[in-house]
Amino acid sequence: AQTVTQSQPEMSVQEAETVTLSCTYDTSESDYYLFWYKQPPSRQMILVIRQEAYKQQNATENRFSVNFQKAAKSFSLKISDSQLGDAAMYFCAYRSLLNFNKFYFGSGTKLNVKP
Amino acid sequence: DSGVTQTPKHLITATGQRVTLRCSPRSGDLSVYWYQQSLDQGLQFLIQYYNGEERAKGNILERFSAQQFPDLHSELNLSSLELGDSALYFCASSVSFTSGSRDTQYFGPGTRLTVL
């Protein structure tokens, strides 16, 4: 079964600076989707960014970008110009396109933003 | 607003009781997923339905069951509740089950269940 690992339980960043959250995954599939979800204190799960495995170009959404390394099975999230509102739990997720489209989530990284 | 609705927002009940959580997917979405998130923990996948049929099962206890109705809304039934069942229960929806579809999962606001 696929596994998703987030090795950083908690991280801190100064407001306006850049931070990178790490995610690795294990799979034997060649095509899949990867996601980053944000969960602020309200506990709502919010989609931040997604990446199709067949695309070599890294996805970007405003201040959020990913570094997708398919061979290394690595999918990190970079947040530029960090804002106080970025403080949240961030979950990395893998979507299988073969195994009944199941989603697999990492354990999360808590991001603190210091003013 | 993701377009996925869940009711109730909060539920407080006693051990041994039974509750039903309801989810309405986004308009047009055929697939519904249920997740459990205990305090300060990650998401545990429970079960997935597509167009009324069960498609995948995760770490769902035998005391729990779910179904998806013809109008595509879904219900998660939790019975013989225990203290450890206290958690946030999320429903998520996506467009299509079929392999190769390029859809994303959108989450509802969750139902917070407290078992006393």
Side-chain angles (χ1 to χ4, degrees):
Chain A
Q2 284 77 9
T3 56
V4 179
T5 302
Q6 293 179 249
S7 58
Q8 305 152 316
E10 188 166 357
M11 294 189 71
S12 294
V13 63
Q14 205 69 37
E15 196 176 5
E17 294 190 347
T18 296
V19 64
T20 299
L21 310 184
S22 301
C23 172
T24 59
Y25 57 94
D26 185 26
T27 185
S28 57
E29 299 174 1
S30 59
D31 198 11
Y32 44 87
Y33 266 72
L34 296 165
F35 304 85
W36 279 97
Y37 283 89
K38 170 185 176 181
Q39 188 178 40
S42 67
R43 305 291 299 269
Q44 172 77 52
M45 292 288 286
I46 302 165
L47 175 68
V48 175
I49 199 166
R50 69 185 221 172
Q51 173 81 40
E52 296 97 323
Y54 69 90
K55 286 187 177 178
Q56 292 187 341
Q57 186 173 7
N58 289 324
T60 61
E61 285 288 342
N62 301 314
R63 297 183 296 107
F64 298 87
S65 61
V66 298
N67 183 6
F68 173 48
Q69 302 288 329
K70 191 172 184 180
K73 297 178 183 176
S74 170
F75 182 61
S76 60
L77 175 69
K78 185 171 86 170
I79 306 174
S80 304
D81 186 25
S82 297
Q83 300 175 359
L84 295 177
D86 295 334
M89 281 289 286
Y90 286 83
F91 291 96
C92 177
Y94 171 104
R95 179 182 178 227
S96 169
L97 295 180
L98 296 177
N99 187 15
F100 300 108
N101 294 274
K102 284 178 71 173
F103 278 72
Y104 300 87
F105 284 83
S107 55
T109 296
K110 183 178 180 182
L111 179 66
N112 303 305
V113 181
K114 300 177 181 177
Chain B
D1 184 359
S2 66
V4 180
T5 59
Q6 288 187 249
T7 56
K9 276 190 173 179
H10 301 278
L11 198 50
I12 301 174
T13 188
T15 55
Q17 295 298 303
R18 173 190 168 95
V19 297
T20 297
L21 313 183
R22 182 187 169 102
C23 168
S24 293
R26 293 188 321 156
S27 177
D29 283 3
L30 299 173
S31 196
V32 169
Y33 303 74
W34 285 98
Y35 293 89
Q36 179 192 57
Q37 186 181 33
S38 300
L39 189 63
D40 293 332
Q41 294 196 9
L43 292 161
Q44 293 292 322
F45 168 69
L46 296 178
I47 198 163
Q48 178 204 357
Y49 281 83
Y50 173 77
N51 203 19
E53 294 187 13
E54 181 185 307
R55 288 299 188 180
K57 255 185 176 178
N59 302 322
I60 188 166
L61 300 172
E62 285 192 11
R63 300 183 285 108
F64 296 180
S65 65
Q67 58 184 131
Q68 186 180 27
F69 295 86
D71 67 353
L72 301 178
H73 90 272
S74 178
E75 292 181 357
L76 178 67
N77 300 297
L78 315 176
S79 62
S80 302
L81 285 168
E82 302 174 359
L83 295 177
D85 297 328
S86 295
L88 192 56
Y89 290 85
F90 283 107
C91 167
S93 74
S94 63
V95 173
S96 173
F97 161 81
T98 54
S99 179
S101 63
R102 310 297 188 186
D103 59 283
T104 299
Q105 223 174 51
Y106 294 92
F107 282 79
T111 292
R112 184 179 298 279
L113 173 67
T114 303
V115 182
L116 301 176

